[in-house]
């Protein structure tokens, strides 16, 4: 029975529960058993106690959800992968958690991540790295690597993560699943432990495009608790497109050319997917995003600058860890932060503080903001001619554990193709586009702000044509 359950997508499972063919308790217990026994280190906490009762008529049917550690969940450890939040159990739920559980997706467990979502491999976690279900010697991507590995390995029917510069899309690509970063402001950030507030967005990590649409439909919407959130202009629909007639896709040379260092195997899957899109009726044309190659440099000033301010609150007084509370206040702050933060977080705090310091502010932070505006302009101009921009999600497939941990710049290159969309605040989705040497490759589509419905439809039509089979990772 467990194997039959495992074969169901979240949408299928919700349907069976609604039809009375499956009980949500049985589904929950099956997944809880798998989550509790897993050996990928995908979870940092798994639900305890009796399985939650969810009315079968609820919109998400009672299908359990894995949630990235950084979403505040009431009474449940929420550490953002950091030692500094050891012992912290928030007194409230993040708005997204609240919405999804209320809609009928009960919390199955909290998933591993890079500390404060800083990283591309989930190796920067205080809980140790998560392993890739396709090859346990390799990383699952990051920072939402726990969520991606859990869904890829069949340890959760679906999950949510956050994406600041690629943290949903890149792990989804490396684990052979679907990952969507919504338009900035589409989903409330309230209760998400902040990394870079002008970039952070919550989004779904799922087995299929349909599952992503079902979750997203419950996530979007204005929230009085997050003043940057917006009302989504239309309901999110279940995607149904069968062809791509009339759709024009732009292929930006700047992102897939030599600068991005796209691996030949990844390039081959990308070209194959483009050919499928053409068969479905899409027109494919080269496009220009002249400033996109500078996105990574701008991102690595803006994101650390915001992080240095956001992380100032972790001082040993208010949350989690306190080291040497007997010392004077300043000494206690210093010791707590020295022991509580890992090396990548410290690097970002130093970079960010420097970029914001008087005398350097204009040269670094100010210039990066100008580049950000140019990148958004490039996309705006491109969307006059193109419906979507397409790229490989990541230049390469899952790399070996430890391969990039000593080379931050090589690690940062993971997000070469995903960071531009984050800076522009536009939605982008990664779908599995097949395998290269046995490892999954992601195909990214990006559209204008609030184009999620069209983006999901296009991704759905392509997904059907690709026919990716992720079952090997669930075995
Ligand atoms: N890998 C990027 C970083 O380390 C993006 C992370 C993210 O999207 N949270 O900042």
């Amino acid at each position: 029975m467990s194997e039959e359950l495992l074969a169901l997508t979240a949408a299928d499972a919700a349907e069976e529960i609604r039809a009375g063919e499956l009980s949500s308790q049985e589904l929950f217990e099956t997944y809880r058993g798998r989550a509790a026994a897993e050996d990928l280190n995908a979870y940092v906490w798994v639900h305890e106690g009796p399985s939650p009762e969810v009315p079968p008529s609820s919109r998400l049917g009672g299908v359990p959800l894995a949630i990235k550690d950084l979403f505040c969940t009431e009474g449940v450890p929420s550490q953002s992968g950091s030692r500094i939040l050891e012992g912290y159990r928030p007194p409230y739920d993040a708005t997204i958690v609240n919405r999804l559980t209320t809609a009928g997706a009960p919390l199955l467990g909290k998933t591993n991540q890079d500390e404060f979502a800083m990283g591309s491999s989930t190796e920067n976690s205080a809980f140790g790295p998560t392993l890739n279900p396709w090859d346990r010697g390799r990383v699952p991507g990051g920072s939402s690597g726990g969520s991606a590995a859990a869904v890829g390995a069949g340890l959760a029917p679906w999950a949510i993560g956050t994406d600041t510069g690629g943290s949903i899309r890149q792990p989804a690509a490396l684990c052979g699943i679907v990952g969507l970063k919504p338009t900035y402001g589409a989903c409330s950030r309230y209760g998400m432990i902040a990394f870079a507030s002008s970039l952070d967005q919550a989004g779904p990590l799922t087995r299929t495009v349909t599952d992503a649409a079902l979750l997203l439909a419950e996530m979007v919407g204005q929230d009085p608790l997050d003043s940057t959130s917006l009302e989504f202009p239309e309901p999110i629909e279940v995607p149904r497109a069968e062809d791509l007639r009339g759709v024009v896709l732009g292929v930006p040379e700047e992102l897939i050319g030599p600068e991005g260092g796209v691996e030949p195997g990844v390039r081959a899957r990308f070209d194959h997917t483009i050919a499928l899109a053409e068969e479905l009726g899409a027109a494919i044309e080269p496009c220009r995003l002249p400033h996109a190659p500078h996105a990574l440099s701008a991102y690595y000033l803006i994101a650390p600058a915001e992080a240095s301010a956001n992380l100032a609150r972790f001082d040993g007084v208010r949350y989690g860890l306190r080291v040497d509370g007997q010392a004077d206040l300043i000494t206690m702050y210093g010791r707590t932060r020295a022991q509580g933060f890992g090396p990548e977080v410290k690097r970002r705090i130093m970079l960010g503080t420097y970029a914001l310091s008087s005398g350097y502010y204009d040269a670094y932070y100010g210039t990066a903001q100008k580049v950000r505006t140019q990148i958004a302009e490039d996309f705006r101009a491109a969307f006059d001619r193109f419906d979507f921009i397409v790229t490989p999600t990541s230049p390469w497939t899952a790399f070996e554990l430890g391969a990039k941990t000593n080379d931050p710049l090589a690690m940062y290159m993971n997000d070469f193709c995903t960071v531009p969309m984050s800076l522009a605040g536009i939605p982008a989705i990664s779908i599995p586009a097949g395998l290269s040497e046995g490892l999954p490759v992601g195909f990214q589509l990006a559209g204008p702000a609030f184009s999620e419905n069209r983006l999901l439809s296009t991704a759905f039509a392509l997904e059907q044509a690709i026919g990716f089979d992720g079952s090997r990772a669930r075995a």
Side-chain angles (χ1 to χ4, degrees), residues 68 70 114-121 124 142-144 162-171 181 195-196 199-201 296 299-300 303-304 344 348 411-415 418-419 422:
K68 187 177 185 177
L70 63 69
D114 286 297
E115 185 177 6
F116 289 105
M118 298 175 190
S120 302
S121 66
N124 298 336
S143 64
S144 311
T162 59
D163 191 310
T164 304
S167 279
I168 289 175
R169 292 162 283 163
Q170 183 258 9
K181 181 201 90 74
F195 164 13
L199 296 154
D200 298 344
Q201 264 300 288
L296 218 47
Y299 172 86
Y300 275 99
E344 183 61 26
R348 306 266 180 125
M411 190 67 93
Y412 297 170
M413 278 303 287
N414 274 290
D415 297 311
T418 50
V419 152
S422 298

Side-chain angles (χ1 to χ4, degrees), residues 379-441:
F379 278 110
R380 236 189 310 276
F383 290 134
D384 283 345
R385 272 189 60 207
F386 302 97
D387 293 291
F388 304 106
I389 306 294
V390 294
T391 72
T393 309
S394 161
W396 41 67
T397 54
F399 43 96
E400 284 172 11
L401 288 157
K404 298 183 199 275
T405 36
N406 292 325
D407 186 349
L409 292 182
M411 190 67 93
Y412 297 170
M413 278 303 287
N414 274 290
D415 297 311
F416 187 74
C417 295
T418 50
V419 152
M421 296 77 183
S422 298
L423 290 172
I426 60 175
I429 190 169
S430 176
I431 60 169
L435 302 176
S436 162
E437 296 177 22
L439 295 169
V441 172

Side-chain angles (χ1 to χ4, degrees), residues 82-412:
S82 183
R83 250 207 93 192
I84 209 160
L85 279 167
E86 222 166 62
Y88 176 56
R89 290 179 182 238
Y92 66 100
D93 276 337
T95 296
I96 291 299
V97 171
N98 189 8
R99 286 195 179 171
L100 290 171
T101 48
T102 308
L107 169 62
L108 176 62
K110 301 292 293 282
T111 57
N112 201 10
Q113 59 164 93
D114 286 297
E115 185 177 6
F116 289 105
M118 298 175 190
S120 302
S121 66
T122 317
E123 292 169 294
N124 298 336
S125 166
F127 300 100
T130 296
L131 313 183
N132 189 310
W134 292 83
D135 177 345
R136 283 153 196 262
R138 292 174 188 267
V139 304
S143 64
S144 311
S147 285
V151 174
L155 307 171
W158 50 14
I160 53 171
T162 59
D163 191 310
T164 304
S167 279
I168 289 175
R169 292 162 283 163
Q170 183 258 9
L174 271 45
C175 290
I177 64 166
V178 174
L180 169 70
K181 181 201 90 74
T183 303
Y184 182 80
C187 300
S188 168
R189 287 181 296 107
Y190 179 73
M192 273 163 46
I193 298 169
F195 164 13
S197 306
S198 77
L199 296 154
D200 298 344
Q201 264 300 288
L205 292 112
T206 55
R207 252 192 238 179
T208 66
V209 174
T210 301
D211 287 355
L214 292 180
L215 276 187
L216 184 68
E218 305 302 329
M219 295 171 74
V220 296
Q222 211 261 332
D223 176 11
L225 300 171
D226 171 7
S227 59
T228 64
S229 67
L230 292 153
E231 205 48 67
F232 205 86
E234 58 192 15
I236 299 294
E237 280 158 13
V238 177
R240 304 203 187 278
E242 280 166 14
D243 63 59
L244 296 180
R245 269 177 298 193
V247 174
V248 187
L249 302 179
V251 180
E253 262 313 307
E254 292 86 352
L255 292 181
I256 62 170
E259 265 188 272
V262 178
E263 273 176 4
V266 171
R267 180 64 203 237
R269 295 319 303 170
F270 177 74
D271 291 342
H272 178 73
T273 309
I274 289 287
L276 286 176
E278 217 158 12
E279 277 170 34
L280 289 170
I284 324 284
E285 287 169 38
C287 85
R288 295 290 324 271
L289 295 175
H291 300 88
H294 304 297
L296 218 47
S297 313
Y299 172 86
Y300 275 99
L301 286 164
I302 294 168
E306 294 184 18
S308 70
N310 275 328
L311 270 52
R313 74 190 68 173
F314 302 110
D315 55 8
V317 175
R318 284 167 281 199
Y319 321 85
L321 184 74
R322 173 178 304 174
V323 179
D324 205 354
Q326 304 307 315
D328 67 89
L329 191 63
I330 301 294
T331 308
M332 187 280 286
Y333 285 168
R335 288 183 183 156
T336 301
R337 288 169 69 86
Q339 288 189 34
F341 290 135
E344 183 61 26
V345 173
K346 288 178 183 159
R347 179 172 13 250
R348 306 266 180 125
I349 293 173
M350 287 201 293
L351 277 172
T353 309
Y354 182 78
L356 290 177
S357 56
S358 86
Y360 294 107
Y361 183 98
D362 287 338
Y364 292 108
Y365 184 73
T367 307
Q369 290 291 20
K370 287 181 191 150
V371 173
R372 182 177 191 172
T373 304
Q374 293 296 320
I375 288 167
E377 279 301 324
D378 284 358
F379 278 110
R380 236 189 310 276
F383 290 134
D384 283 345
R385 272 189 60 207
F386 302 97
D387 293 291
F388 304 106
I389 306 294
V390 294
T391 72
T393 309
S394 161
W396 41 67
T397 54
F399 43 96
E400 284 172 11
L401 288 157
K404 298 183 199 275
T405 36
N406 292 325
D407 186 349
L409 292 182
M411 190 67 93
Y412 297 170

